[in-house]
Amino acid sequence: MAKGLVLGAGGARGLAHLGFLQVLEEESVKVDYIVGCSIGAVFGALWAAGTDLYRLEQLITYQGFSKMLLDLSVSRDGLIKGEKILEAMRLLTKNLTFEELKTPLAIVATDIETGEGIVFREGSIAHAVRASISIPGVFKPYPYQGRLFVDGAVKNRLPIQVVKDMGAEKVLAVDVKKGLSTKLNTAMDVMLQALEILEEEAFSTQKEKADVLIQPEVGHIGVLQFDLAAEAIALGRTAAKSKLFEIVRNFH
């Protein structure tokens, strides 16, 4: 029976995906298909590319790492250019294409001009990830293949149907947006919260399609609080271990 993994959107909360994937590796859990959206696309791509998850943790939790990656922009269409993240993804994925991966991967983004959800399954992994992470107002929209892309979560933060369309009969899904923030100190906080509320309807129809749904307790972490990486990773491990029996029974 074909097994699929879906890693959802959530900004810095999605650093929990790394801890979750570490536990899957430790328990020798393997899947046949991987789908990632936004920050989930980052970690889905890195796992599929065979990146060492423990060295990755050392890198991400290194003090000042997130600031090195977030290149501020003077543009009005986004605070962050995203060029440094694109370069990091090229490096960490060894500049692989989707076709070169052993485990089939799909990455989801949104065409801001047409409103379509776009699924990448060929070409450059790094470019697809850059398109998928473009949170509106935070990252500059990404022009690629004649389209203009924003975050895949605008359309669907946990794209379970995509992995089913790839052939998965059992689905393990990780949602990192459980719980709305109570700390709304800036206009950006309010905008990001509004986006999450809008995403909730699509999520509520998708989550029932998962055989096992994991929701790490990361609601208190702000979408841009990448300095809380160590805490988010630990919470991802905790969430995986809390449902380990169910995961191993269904996906080992």
Side-chain angles (χ1 to χ4, degrees):
M1 185 175 286
K3 297 167 284 190
L5 171 67
V6 182
L7 302 176
R13 297 173 187 176
L15 295 166
H17 288 315
L18 177 53
F20 175 82
L21 291 172
Q22 287 174 344
V23 174
L24 290 196
E25 279 204 355
E26 290 160 11
E27 298 297 328
S28 300
V29 174
K30 292 181 172 59
V31 295
D32 302 294
Y33 305 100
I34 303 168
V35 173
C37 179
S38 197
I39 189 77
V42 172
F43 288 107
L46 292 173
W47 198 40
T51 306
D52 184 317
L53 298 181
Y54 301 94
R55 288 187 67 184
L56 187 60
E57 180 179 5
Q58 290 177 334
L59 185 65
I60 289 172
T61 56
Y62 179 77
Q63 191 171 11
F65 176 70
S66 62
K67 288 181 181 175
M68 287 190 287
L69 279 188
L70 302 180
D71 44 358
L72 295 180
S73 167
V74 293
S75 168
R76 289 180 297 179
D77 54 0
L79 296 174
I80 299 166
K81 295 177 191 174
E83 292 170 8
K84 289 184 179 179
I85 290 178
L86 175 61
E87 194 52 44
M89 287 304 301
R90 277 201 189 106
L91 204 64
L92 292 169
T93 62
K94 311 173 192 80
N95 215 16
L96 291 173
T97 63
F98 285 86
E99 294 86 347
E100 293 173 301
L101 297 174
K102 291 178 183 175
T103 303
L105 169 72
I107 287 173
V108 180
T110 304
D111 183 325
I112 192 62
E113 295 174 320
T114 66
E116 292 176 84
I118 303 297
V119 180
F120 294 102
R121 291 197 59 192
E122 56 186 33
S124 163
I125 294 168
H127 282 292
V129 169
R130 173 62 187 88
S132 184
I133 64 169
S134 303
I135 302 170
V138 178
F139 286 90
K140 290 182 68 172
Y142 190 58
Y144 182 52
Q145 297 183 342
R147 295 174 180 263
L148 189 63
F149 289 105
V150 295
D151 199 313
V154 170
K155 198 76 178 173
N156 189 349
R157 83 185 196 215
L158 196 70
I160 292 172
Q161 188 57 49
V162 173
V163 86
K164 284 181 168 285
D165 292 344
M166 291 170 78
E169 297 161 278
K170 283 215 168 206
V171 178
L172 172 59
V174 186
D175 173 56
V176 290
K177 282 200 173 184
K178 180 185 176 185
L180 295 171
S181 174
T182 56
K183 297 176 183 177
L184 302 174
N185 301 321
T186 67
M188 181 63 72
D189 292 338
V190 173
M191 186 190 75
L192 292 172
Q193 183 104 314
L195 281 172
E196 290 192 22
I197 292 167
L198 291 171
E199 292 164 12
E200 193 64 32
E201 186 175 350
F203 168 70
S204 63
T205 62
Q206 284 285 304
K207 66 180 181 181
E208 305 301 328
K209 298 178 182 179
D211 295 282
V212 179
L213 176 65
I214 309 293
Q215 291 183 294
E217 297 291 340
V218 288
H220 63 288
I221 295 176
V223 172
L224 299 177
Q225 284 189 293
F226 290 96
D227 55 316
L228 298 182
E231 182 179 353
I233 293 166
L235 288 167
R237 291 185 63 88
T238 299
K241 288 181 176 180
S242 71
K243 286 202 172 184
L244 195 52
F245 176 76
E246 201 175 346
I247 293 169
V248 171
R249 186 182 62 190
N250 284 281
F251 296 91
H252 205 282

